[in-house]
Amino acid sequence: MLTTCDAPLFQHFIGGDWVPANGNRVAERRNPADTDDLVGYIPLAGPEAIDTAVDAAARVAAAWKATPPPARGQILFHVARVLSERAEEVAMTLTREQGKTIAEAHGEVRLTIEILEYFAGEGRRFSGRTFPSAQAGRFVYTILQPVGTVGLITPWNFPLAVPLWKIAPALVAGNTIVWKPSRLTAAVSDAIVRLFIAADLPPGVLNLVYGEGLRVGHALAAHPKVRAISFTSSYEVGTQIYATAAEQFKKVQCEAGGKNAVIVLEDADVERAALAVAQGAFRYAGQRCTATSRVIVQDHVADQLVEALTAHARAMVVGDGLDPHTDMGPLSDQPQMSRVLEFLEVGRREGRMTCGGSRLTGPGHDRGWFVPPTIFDNVSAEAQIAQEEIFGPVVAVIRVPSFSSALAAANGNRYGMTTSVFTRDIGRVLEASDGLECGVVHINAATIGAEVHVPFGGIKHTGVGAREMGPDAVEFYCEAKVVYVGQ
């Protein structure tokens, strides 16, 4: 355990130098599984730090743009190698600071290495297109050029993978970056910057500034030298960032949460569905944009599903993520736990609770933000716990009489991230895949999970702008220029 004197004071990284707090306010971060464990102190910069970081990024933008794309990709390959060497250290830091289990942390490290390798390869696939001209003797083609300096705003729930699936495509496309991560995961953010230092990324190409959410995020979105914003966080903050950036016609990519549903039809493998719901709802303590939050089940199999799901939930071991026997870690911090507990009180009025329902206390839980897996049955599709994003290990079970009513319930929400459908009927698979209002559909699988070479994102209040991951991600950080060549 660290004492106060041992805990580091993290620093901004601007223009290739570590920059101290310089009189700004400082926040502390404690291990969410053991609040006696002080992880470190985080400087809370103001808009002036954004000005300094953007100027540093803008100064080297031309030189980085002139670096050949394959050479930019080689730096990402180098980062992937360094991360592989430091995988255990980074995973331990991730669990201690964010709270997820060590197995989940190792999974995030592996995913991040795959992200880096994929986008490193994009350095050799970086190209435009050719077109036949309607006029003889004319050649028409496009070239992709970087946007310039971009602003990245990232969350605390996947503090390694989400930043890298923004940073990697932005860099390989030739952009310079000002990055504002969550202050809750400064130790992981610090580790990311050190990966790029070890890979000899030129100074000023990647700049890191800590600050208070909307205040610093607004300054980044409003800065005239920042030409694109990629943002992942809440809908409420995202709408303000989006509006600010739109005033200057910046490119914007926002991912802002979900209220994901699993549809279980009467012909489904109910045991398989129950396991998938438990994994999607309770792993990562429900703190992911693709987490299962609603289960929409046909009446005929509802009792069987709820019984099986409740058994899975009660069997989960909740505790410190550093313990390899733990299945589910704590919530991220006290405000997040308070939010979840408020929804549990709402759920008691809106459904029948089958398990969980209150904060865990006692040995192993008394110094952390622990809430057990919680299930509410017989919930209306219009209930608050079926409509609002909770971002915790809470599931609302909605019983419906038919396939059509299941689709209507799934679509009857402002979010549109992922939906899963469990059925053996190929006709219903095709109809659901076409009719569901979401960005990702899973068939007979959990709502969670994405592959690095495949576009990822949602619709409605979940997301706006180009998809992340896959080839779409690189295109977001580029401008296409058309060239007509005559004789």
Side-chain angles (χ1 to χ4, degrees):
M1 182 183 301
L2 284 175
T3 66
T4 300
C5 294
D6 294 324
L9 172 59
F10 297 106
Q11 296 182 315
H12 313 296
F13 187 72
I14 299 174
D17 296 319
W18 294 104
V19 179
N22 194 26
N24 292 306
R25 293 195 305 111
V26 172
E28 64 177 33
R29 176 58 171 165
R30 294 180 179 273
N31 181 340
D34 179 2
T35 55
D36 286 347
D37 178 12
L38 180 62
V39 177
Y41 297 97
I42 303 93
L44 300 179
E48 68 285 348
I50 292 295
D51 291 336
T52 303
V54 171
D55 286 344
R59 280 195 299 270
V60 301
W64 184 243
K65 174 184 176 182
T67 303
R72 300 194 294 249
Q74 284 300 316
I75 289 178
L76 296 180
F77 274 126
H78 193 167
V79 174
R81 289 193 296 272
V82 177
L83 179 55
S84 296
E85 295 165 359
R86 302 179 184 178
E88 185 64 31
E89 172 192 348
V90 173
M92 294 287 286
T93 300
L94 207 166
T95 291
R96 178 169 171 246
E97 183 176 53
Q98 195 276 336
K100 62 185 60 179
T101 69
I102 192 64
E104 292 164 345
H106 279 296
E108 185 169 347
V109 171
R110 288 192 298 272
L111 172 64
T112 305
I113 292 169
E114 292 175 2
I115 290 167
L116 287 162
E117 291 174 341
Y118 173 79
F119 287 114
E122 286 291 280
R124 294 190 181 274
R125 295 187 289 267
F126 198 75
S127 63
R129 293 184 291 171
T130 62
F131 298 86
S133 174
Q135 298 186 25
R138 174 183 282 179
F139 176 52
V140 184
Y141 67 97
T142 63
I143 55 176
L144 296 179
Q145 297 185 315
V147 173
T149 296
V150 301
L152 309 181
I153 302 172
T154 60
W156 48 260
N157 61 330
F158 281 84
L160 184 67
V162 172
L164 266 300
W165 80 41
K166 296 178 188 292
I167 292 171
L171 289 182
V172 82
N175 299 276
T176 56
I177 294 168
V178 177
W179 169 36
K180 194 210 83 64
S182 169
R183 66 179 179 84
L184 296 183
T185 48
V188 176
S189 302
D190 186 271
I192 289 173
V193 170
R194 295 182 189 279
L195 294 174
F196 281 96
I197 293 173
D200 297 322
L201 183 71
V205 174
L206 174 62
N207 303 274
L208 165 68
V209 177
Y210 300 107
E212 293 181 288
L214 187 56
R215 181 167 176 252
V216 175
H218 173 81
L220 186 58
H223 201 290
K225 293 182 181 178
V226 173
R227 297 311 309 151
I229 292 287
S230 182
F231 167 92
T232 300
S233 187
S234 69
Y235 169 78
E236 289 72 20
V237 176
T239 54
Q240 297 180 62
I241 296 294
Y242 186 33
T244 299
E247 291 177 358
Q248 298 180 34
F249 265 34
K250 300 178 192 286
K251 297 183 78 171
V252 179
Q253 179 184 63
C254 284
E255 194 274 290
K259 189 68 177 175
N260 310 295
V262 170
I263 296 174
V264 184
L265 300 179
E266 58 188 0
D267 67 334
D269 182 332
V270 174
E271 291 296 328
R272 181 179 176 183
L275 178 60
V277 171
Q279 292 173 337
F282 307 136
R283 299 290 182 180
Y284 298 87
Q287 298 176 126
R288 54 191 300 168
C289 63
T290 58
T292 304
S293 189
R294 298 179 292 159
V295 179
I296 301 167
V297 55
Q298 281 193 265
D299 292 327
H300 181 69
V301 293
D303 287 345
Q304 182 185 353
L305 178 75
V306 170
E307 181 180 356
L309 177 58
T310 300
H312 283 300
R314 288 175 173 165
M316 295 194 77
V317 177
V318 181
D320 189 335
L322 292 173
D323 183 340
H325 298 100
T326 294
D327 297 314
M328 190 184 93
L331 296 171
S332 63
D333 60 0
Q334 195 277 329
Q336 181 63 19
M337 186 187 70
S338 295
R339 172 181 172 83
V340 172
L341 292 178
E342 289 174 5
F343 273 107
L344 295 185
E345 290 304 310
V346 173
R348 292 175 189 276
R349 300 190 297 270
E350 294 185 331
R352 178 181 67 86
M353 188 175 68
T354 70
C355 64
S358 60
R359 180 181 181 179
L360 293 174
T361 58
H365 299 123
D366 55 346
R367 294 197 303 271
W369 313 120
F370 294 102
V371 173
T374 302
I375 300 166
F376 292 102
D377 189 12
N378 291 302
V379 177
S380 164
E382 291 75 37
Q384 187 178 352
I385 61 168
Q387 289 292 320
E388 298 297 323
E389 184 177 37
I390 300 173
F391 223 60
V394 183
V395 168
V397 178
I398 301 163
R399 298 178 180 231
V400 294
S402 64
F403 174 53
S404 60
S405 57
L407 290 184
N411 290 337
N413 190 276
R414 63 174 178 163
Y415 293 108
M417 185 69 234
T418 73
T419 307
S420 293
V421 181
F422 281 82
T423 181
R424 294 182 173 93
D425 187 329
I426 188 62
R428 286 178 170 179
V429 167
L430 297 174
E431 186 175 348
S433 299
D434 181 64
L436 286 168
E437 297 170 355
C438 58
V440 180
V441 176
H442 294 274
I443 303 300
N444 295 323
T447 56
I448 57 177
E451 298 190 30
V452 300
H453 59 291
V454 180
F456 174 81
I459 63 173
K460 300 198 290 189
H461 284 192
T462 285
V464 66
R467 292 289 190 261
E468 300 193 89
M469 308 254 266
D472 295 33
V474 175
E475 291 180 7
F476 170 74
Y477 295 102
C478 296
E479 298 287 6
K481 180 181 290 184
V482 181
V483 181
Y484 290 87
V485 181
Q487 291 181 338

mmCIF file with all atom_site columns, all heavy atoms in Angstrom, residues 29-47:
data_model
loop_
_atom_site.group_PDB
_atom_site.id
_atom_site.type_symbol
_atom_site.label_atom_id
_atom_site.label_alt_id
_atom_site.label_comp_id
_atom_site.label_asym_id
_atom_site.label_entity_id
_atom_site.label_seq_id
_atom_site.pdbx_PDB_ins_code
_atom_site.Cartn_x
_atom_site.Cartn_y
_atom_site.Cartn_z
_atom_site.occupancy
_atom_site.B_iso_or_equiv
_atom_site.pdbx_formal_charge
_atom_site.auth_seq_id
_atom_site.auth_comp_id
_atom_site.auth_asym_id
_atom_site.auth_atom_id
_atom_site.pdbx_PDB_model_num
ATOM 1   N N   . ARG A 1 29 ? -6.469  10.365 -6.614  1.00 0.00 ? 29 ARG A N   1
ATOM 2   C CA  . ARG A 1 29 ? -7.140  9.158  -7.082  1.00 0.00 ? 29 ARG A CA  1
ATOM 3   C C   . ARG A 1 29 ? -6.777  8.013  -6.162  1.00 0.00 ? 29 ARG A C   1
ATOM 4   O O   . ARG A 1 29 ? -5.604  7.755  -5.890  1.00 0.00 ? 29 ARG A O   1
ATOM 5   C CB  . ARG A 1 29 ? -6.722  8.827  -8.517  1.00 0.00 ? 29 ARG A CB  1
ATOM 6   C CG  . ARG A 1 29 ? -7.304  7.509  -9.050  1.00 0.00 ? 29 ARG A CG  1
ATOM 7   C CD  . ARG A 1 29 ? -8.817  7.482  -9.010  1.00 0.00 ? 29 ARG A CD  1
ATOM 8   N NE  . ARG A 1 29 ? -9.378  6.305  -9.711  1.00 0.00 ? 29 ARG A NE  1
ATOM 9   C CZ  . ARG A 1 29 ? -10.635 5.897  -9.589  1.00 0.00 ? 29 ARG A CZ  1
ATOM 10  N NH1 . ARG A 1 29 ? -11.480 6.558  -8.800  1.00 0.00 ? 29 ARG A NH1 1
ATOM 11  N NH2 . ARG A 1 29 ? -11.069 4.848  -10.250 1.00 0.00 ? 29 ARG A NH2 1
ATOM 12  N N   . ARG A 1 30 ? -7.812  7.313  -5.675  1.00 0.00 ? 30 ARG A N   1
ATOM 13  C CA  . ARG A 1 30 ? -7.622  6.166  -4.800  1.00 0.00 ? 30 ARG A CA  1
ATOM 14  C C   . ARG A 1 30 ? -8.131  4.893  -5.464  1.00 0.00 ? 30 ARG A C   1
ATOM 15  O O   . ARG A 1 30 ? -9.021  4.933  -6.315  1.00 0.00 ? 30 ARG A O   1
ATOM 16  C CB  . ARG A 1 30 ? -8.321  6.393  -3.458  1.00 0.00 ? 30 ARG A CB  1
ATOM 17  C CG  . ARG A 1 30 ? -7.684  7.528  -2.659  1.00 0.00 ? 30 ARG A CG  1
ATOM 18  C CD  . ARG A 1 30 ? -8.353  7.770  -1.322  1.00 0.00 ? 30 ARG A CD  1
ATOM 19  N NE  . ARG A 1 30 ? -7.668  8.846  -0.602  1.00 0.00 ? 30 ARG A NE  1
ATOM 20  C CZ  . ARG A 1 30 ? -6.619  8.667  0.188   1.00 0.00 ? 30 ARG A CZ  1
ATOM 21  N NH1 . ARG A 1 30 ? -6.149  7.445  0.402   1.00 0.00 ? 30 ARG A NH1 1
ATOM 22  N NH2 . ARG A 1 30 ? -6.043  9.696  0.781   1.00 0.00 ? 30 ARG A NH2 1
ATOM 23  N N   . ASN A 1 31 ? -7.553  3.794  -5.079  1.00 0.00 ? 31 ASN A N   1
ATOM 24  C CA  . ASN A 1 31 ? -7.965  2.492  -5.577  1.00 0.00 ? 31 ASN A CA  1
ATOM 25  C C   . ASN A 1 31 ? -9.438  2.271  -5.244  1.00 0.00 ? 31 ASN A C   1
ATOM 26  O O   . ASN A 1 31 ? -9.820  2.303  -4.065  1.00 0.00 ? 31 ASN A O   1
ATOM 27  C CB  . ASN A 1 31 ? -7.086  1.425  -4.907  1.00 0.00 ? 31 ASN A CB  1
ATOM 28  C CG  . ASN A 1 31 ? -7.386  0.012  -5.361  1.00 0.00 ? 31 ASN A CG  1
ATOM 29  O OD1 . ASN A 1 31 ? -8.451  -0.281 -5.882  1.00 0.00 ? 31 ASN A OD1 1
ATOM 30  N ND2 . ASN A 1 31 ? -6.444  -0.891 -5.114  1.00 0.00 ? 31 ASN A ND2 1
ATOM 31  N N   . PRO A 1 32 ? -10.318 2.056  -6.242  1.00 0.00 ? 32 PRO A N   1
ATOM 32  C CA  . PRO A 1 32 ? -11.744 1.910  -5.938  1.00 0.00 ? 32 PRO A CA  1
ATOM 33  C C   . PRO A 1 32 ? -12.084 0.654  -5.149  1.00 0.00 ? 32 PRO A C   1
ATOM 34  O O   . PRO A 1 32 ? -13.172 0.559  -4.574  1.00 0.00 ? 32 PRO A O   1
ATOM 35  C CB  . PRO A 1 32 ? -12.400 1.889  -7.320  1.00 0.00 ? 32 PRO A CB  1
ATOM 36  C CG  . PRO A 1 32 ? -11.323 1.452  -8.245  1.00 0.00 ? 32 PRO A CG  1
ATOM 37  C CD  . PRO A 1 32 ? -10.047 2.003  -7.674  1.00 0.00 ? 32 PRO A CD  1
ATOM 38  N N   . ALA A 1 33 ? -11.163 -0.308 -5.082  1.00 0.00 ? 33 ALA A N   1
ATOM 39  C CA  . ALA A 1 33 ? -11.382 -1.504 -4.273  1.00 0.00 ? 33 ALA A CA  1
ATOM 40  C C   . ALA A 1 33 ? -10.853 -1.342 -2.854  1.00 0.00 ? 33 ALA A C   1
ATOM 41  O O   . ALA A 1 33 ? -11.222 -2.116 -1.958  1.00 0.00 ? 33 ALA A O   1
ATOM 42  C CB  . ALA A 1 33 ? -10.712 -2.718 -4.917  1.00 0.00 ? 33 ALA A CB  1
ATOM 43  N N   . ASP A 1 34 ? -9.994  -0.348 -2.639  1.00 0.00 ? 34 ASP A N   1
ATOM 44  C CA  . ASP A 1 34 ? -9.393  -0.118 -1.326  1.00 0.00 ? 34 ASP A CA  1
ATOM 45  C C   . ASP A 1 34 ? -9.013  1.351  -1.244  1.00 0.00 ? 34 ASP A C   1
ATOM 46  O O   . ASP A 1 34 ? -7.932  1.759  -1.666  1.00 0.00 ? 34 ASP A O   1
ATOM 47  C CB  . ASP A 1 34 ? -8.156  -0.996 -1.134  1.00 0.00 ? 34 ASP A CB  1
ATOM 48  C CG  . ASP A 1 34 ? -7.483  -0.777 0.223   1.00 0.00 ? 34 ASP A CG  1
ATOM 49  O OD1 . ASP A 1 34 ? -7.998  0.029  1.021   1.00 0.00 ? 34 ASP A OD1 1
ATOM 50  O OD2 . ASP A 1 34 ? -6.439  -1.403 0.474   1.00 0.00 ? 34 ASP A OD2 1
ATOM 51  N N   . THR A 1 35 ? -9.900  2.153  -0.696  1.00 0.00 ? 35 THR A N   1
ATOM 52  C CA  . THR A 1 35 ? -9.689  3.600  -0.715  1.00 0.00 ? 35 THR A CA  1
ATOM 53  C C   . THR A 1 35 ? -8.591  4.063  0.240   1.00 0.00 ? 35 THR A C   1
ATOM 54  O O   . THR A 1 35 ? -8.254  5.249  0.254   1.00 0.00 ? 35 THR A O   1
ATOM 55  C CB  . THR A 1 35 ? -11.004 4.329  -0.378  1.00 0.00 ? 35 THR A CB  1
ATOM 56  O OG1 . THR A 1 35 ? -11.519 3.837  0.878   1.00 0.00 ? 35 THR A OG1 1
ATOM 57  C CG2 . THR A 1 35 ? -12.036 4.094  -1.473  1.00 0.00 ? 35 THR A CG2 1
ATOM 58  N N   . ASP A 1 36 ? -8.009  3.153  1.023   1.00 0.00 ? 36 ASP A N   1
ATOM 59  C CA  . ASP A 1 36 ? -6.809  3.505  1.787   1.00 0.00 ? 36 ASP A CA  1
ATOM 60  C C   . ASP A 1 36 ? -5.574  3.566  0.888   1.00 0.00 ? 36 ASP A C   1
ATOM 61  O O   . ASP A 1 36 ? -4.527  4.090  1.293   1.00 0.00 ? 36 ASP A O   1
ATOM 62  C CB  . ASP A 1 36 ? -6.555  2.481  2.903   1.00 0.00 ? 36 ASP A CB  1
ATOM 63  C CG  . ASP A 1 36 ? -7.536  2.636  4.056   1.00 0.00 ? 36 ASP A CG  1
ATOM 64  O OD1 . ASP A 1 36 ? -8.240  3.668  4.102   1.00 0.00 ? 36 ASP A OD1 1
ATOM 65  O OD2 . ASP A 1 36 ? -7.611  1.717  4.890   1.00 0.00 ? 36 ASP A OD2 1
ATOM 66  N N   . ASP A 1 37 ? -5.691  3.014  -0.306  1.00 0.00 ? 37 ASP A N   1
ATOM 67  C CA  . ASP A 1 37 ? -4.576  2.935  -1.245  1.00 0.00 ? 37 ASP A CA  1
ATOM 68  C C   . ASP A 1 37 ? -4.620  4.140  -2.177  1.00 0.00 ? 37 ASP A C   1
ATOM 69  O O   . ASP A 1 37 ? -5.452  4.225  -3.075  1.00 0.00 ? 37 ASP A O   1
ATOM 70  C CB  . ASP A 1 37 ? -4.687  1.627  -2.030  1.00 0.00 ? 37 ASP A CB  1
ATOM 71  C CG  . ASP A 1 37 ? -3.597  1.459  -3.068  1.00 0.00 ? 37 ASP A CG  1
ATOM 72  O OD1 . ASP A 1 37 ? -2.620  2.232  -3.049  1.00 0.00 ? 37 ASP A OD1 1
ATOM 73  O OD2 . ASP A 1 37 ? -3.720  0.543  -3.905  1.00 0.00 ? 37 ASP A OD2 1
ATOM 74  N N   . LEU A 1 38 ? -3.707  5.091  -1.965  1.00 0.00 ? 38 LEU A N   1
ATOM 75  C CA  . LEU A 1 38 ? -3.649  6.307  -2.771  1.00 0.00 ? 38 LEU A CA  1
ATOM 76  C C   . LEU A 1 38 ? -2.815  6.056  -4.014  1.00 0.00 ? 38 LEU A C   1
ATOM 77  O O   . LEU A 1 38 ? -1.608  5.814  -3.937  1.00 0.00 ? 38 LEU A O   1
ATOM 78  C CB  . LEU A 1 38 ? -3.055  7.456  -1.947  1.00 0.00 ? 38 LEU A CB  1
ATOM 79  C CG  . LEU A 1 38 ? -2.921  8.806  -2.633  1.00 0.00 ? 38 LEU A CG  1
ATOM 80  C CD1 . LEU A 1 38 ? -4.291  9.347  -3.053  1.00 0.00 ? 38 LEU A CD1 1
ATOM 81  C CD2 . LEU A 1 38 ? -2.229  9.801  -1.700  1.00 0.00 ? 38 LEU A CD2 1
ATOM 82  N N   . VAL A 1 39 ? -3.444  6.104  -5.176  1.00 0.00 ? 39 VAL A N   1
ATOM 83  C CA  . VAL A 1 39 ? -2.748  5.837  -6.433  1.00 0.00 ? 39 VAL A CA  1
ATOM 84  C C   . VAL A 1 39 ? -1.888  7.020  -6.847  1.00 0.00 ? 39 VAL A C   1
ATOM 85  O O   . VAL A 1 39 ? -0.767  6.859  -7.324  1.00 0.00 ? 39 VAL A O   1
ATOM 86  C CB  . VAL A 1 39 ? -3.755  5.489  -7.549  1.00 0.00 ? 39 VAL A CB  1
ATOM 87  C CG1 . VAL A 1 39 ? -3.048  5.290  -8.883  1.00 0.00 ? 39 VAL A CG1 1
ATOM 88  C CG2 . VAL A 1 39 ? -4.545  4.239  -7.175  1.00 0.00 ? 39 VAL A CG2 1
ATOM 89  N N   . GLY A 1 40 ? -2.402  8.232  -6.686  1.00 0.00 ? 40 GLY A N   1
ATOM 90  C CA  . GLY A 1 40 ? -1.613  9.402  -7.066  1.00 0.00 ? 40 GLY A CA  1
ATOM 91  C C   . GLY A 1 40 ? -2.449  10.664 -7.074  1.00 0.00 ? 40 GLY A C   1
ATOM 92  O O   . GLY A 1 40 ? -3.648  10.661 -6.793  1.00 0.00 ? 40 GLY A O   1
ATOM 93  N N   . TYR A 1 41 ? -1.760  11.771 -7.413  1.00 0.00 ? 41 TYR A N   1
ATOM 94  C CA  . TYR A 1 41 ? -2.380  13.088 -7.499  1.00 0.00 ? 41 TYR A CA  1
ATOM 95  C C   . TYR A 1 41 ? -2.396  13.534 -8.959  1.00 0.00 ? 41 TYR A C   1
ATOM 96  O O   . TYR A 1 41 ? -1.445  13.303 -9.705  1.00 0.00 ? 41 TYR A O   1
ATOM 97  C CB  . TYR A 1 41 ? -1.616  14.105 -6.662  1.00 0.00 ? 41 TYR A CB  1
ATOM 98  C CG  . TYR A 1 41 ? -1.617  13.795 -5.186  1.00 0.00 ? 41 TYR A CG  1
ATOM 99  C CD1 . TYR A 1 41 ? -0.546  13.129 -4.590  1.00 0.00 ? 41 TYR A CD1 1
ATOM 100 C CD2 . TYR A 1 41 ? -2.685  14.167 -4.375  1.00 0.00 ? 41 TYR A CD2 1
ATOM 101 C CE1 . TYR A 1 41 ? -0.544  12.842 -3.235  1.00 0.00 ? 41 TYR A CE1 1
ATOM 102 C CE2 . TYR A 1 41 ? -2.693  13.881 -3.025  1.00 0.00 ? 41 TYR A CE2 1
ATOM 103 C CZ  . TYR A 1 41 ? -1.618  13.222 -2.457  1.00 0.00 ? 41 TYR A CZ  1
ATOM 104 O OH  . TYR A 1 41 ? -1.626  12.932 -1.113  1.00 0.00 ? 41 TYR A OH  1
ATOM 105 N N   . ILE A 1 42 ? -3.476  14.214 -9.348  1.00 0.00 ? 42 ILE A N   1
ATOM 106 C CA  . ILE A 1 42 ? -3.663  14.599 -10.739 1.00 0.00 ? 42 ILE A CA  1
ATOM 107 C C   . ILE A 1 42 ? -3.835  16.109 -10.818 1.00 0.00 ? 42 ILE A C   1
ATOM 108 O O   . ILE A 1 42 ? -4.693  16.679 -10.146 1.00 0.00 ? 42 ILE A O   1
ATOM 109 C CB  . ILE A 1 42 ? -4.907  13.910 -11.352 1.00 0.00 ? 42 ILE A CB  1
ATOM 110 C CG1 . ILE A 1 42 ? -4.789  12.397 -11.223 1.00 0.00 ? 42 ILE A CG1 1
ATOM 111 C CG2 . ILE A 1 42 ? -5.075  14.303 -12.801 1.00 0.00 ? 42 ILE A CG2 1
ATOM 112 C CD1 . ILE A 1 42 ? -5.438  11.817 -9.984  1.00 0.00 ? 42 ILE A CD1 1
ATOM 113 N N   . PRO A 1 43 ? -3.026  16.802 -11.650 1.00 0.00 ? 43 PRO A N   1
ATOM 114 C CA  . PRO A 1 43 ? -3.204  18.243 -11.826 1.00 0.00 ? 43 PRO A CA  1
ATOM 115 C C   . PRO A 1 43 ? -4.451  18.530 -12.645 1.00 0.00 ? 43 PRO A C   1
ATOM 116 O O   . PRO A 1 43 ? -4.730  17.854 -13.634 1.00 0.00 ? 43 PRO A O   1
ATOM 117 C CB  . PRO A 1 43 ? -1.938  18.662 -12.577 1.00 0.00 ? 43 PRO A CB  1
ATOM 118 C CG  . PRO A 1 43 ? -1.538  17.437 -13.336 1.00 0.00 ? 43 PRO A CG  1
ATOM 119 C CD  . PRO A 1 43 ? -1.925  16.269 -12.460 1.00 0.00 ? 43 PRO A CD  1
ATOM 120 N N   . LEU A 1 44 ? -5.216  19.513 -12.235 1.00 0.00 ? 44 LEU A N   1
ATOM 121 C CA  . LEU A 1 44 ? -6.433  19.893 -12.945 1.00 0.00 ? 44 LEU A CA  1
ATOM 122 C C   . LEU A 1 44 ? -6.173  21.203 -13.660 1.00 0.00 ? 44 LEU A C   1
ATOM 123 O O   . LEU A 1 44 ? -6.323  22.288 -13.098 1.00 0.00 ? 44 LEU A O   1
ATOM 124 C CB  . LEU A 1 44 ? -7.613  20.011 -11.982 1.00 0.00 ? 44 LEU A CB  1
ATOM 125 C CG  . LEU A 1 44 ? -7.965  18.734 -11.210 1.00 0.00 ? 44 LEU A CG  1
ATOM 126 C CD1 . LEU A 1 44 ? -9.127  18.972 -10.269 1.00 0.00 ? 44 LEU A CD1 1
ATOM 127 C CD2 . LEU A 1 44 ? -8.281  17.596 -12.176 1.00 0.00 ? 44 LEU A CD2 1
ATOM 128 N N   . ALA A 1 45 ? -5.758  21.113 -14.905 1.00 0.00 ? 45 ALA A N   1
ATOM 129 C CA  . ALA A 1 45 ? -5.380  22.288 -15.682 1.00 0.00 ? 45 ALA A CA  1
ATOM 130 C C   . ALA A 1 45 ? -6.606  23.078 -16.106 1.00 0.00 ? 45 ALA A C   1
ATOM 131 O O   . ALA A 1 45 ? -7.729  22.565 -16.156 1.00 0.00 ? 45 ALA A O   1
ATOM 132 C CB  . ALA A 1 45 ? -4.583  21.861 -16.904 1.00 0.00 ? 45 ALA A CB  1
ATOM 133 N N   . GLY A 1 46 ? -6.372  24.313 -16.459 1.00 0.00 ? 46 GLY A N   1
ATOM 134 C CA  . GLY A 1 46 ? -7.401  25.165 -17.019 1.00 0.00 ? 46 GLY A CA  1
ATOM 135 C C   . GLY A 1 46 ? -7.228  25.294 -18.524 1.00 0.00 ? 46 GLY A C   1
ATOM 136 O O   . GLY A 1 46 ? -6.349  24.670 -19.126 1.00 0.00 ? 46 GLY A O   1
ATOM 137 N N   . PRO A 1 47 ? -8.055  26.111 -19.177 1.00 0.00 ? 47 PRO A N   1
ATOM 138 C CA  . PRO A 1 47 ? -7.981  26.276 -20.631 1.00 0.00 ? 47 PRO A CA  1
ATOM 139 C C   . PRO A 1 47 ? -6.620  26.743 -21.134 1.00 0.00 ? 47 PRO A C   1
ATOM 140 O O   . PRO A 1 47 ? -6.249  26.462 -22.284 1.00 0.00 ? 47 PRO A O   1
ATOM 141 C CB  . PRO A 1 47 ? -9.066  27.325 -20.915 1.00 0.00 ? 47 PRO A CB  1
ATOM 142 C CG  . PRO A 1 47 ? -10.040 27.167 -19.785 1.00 0.00 ? 47 PRO A CG  1
ATOM 143 C CD  . PRO A 1 47 ? -9.207  26.833 -18.591 1.00 0.00 ? 47 PRO A CD  1
#
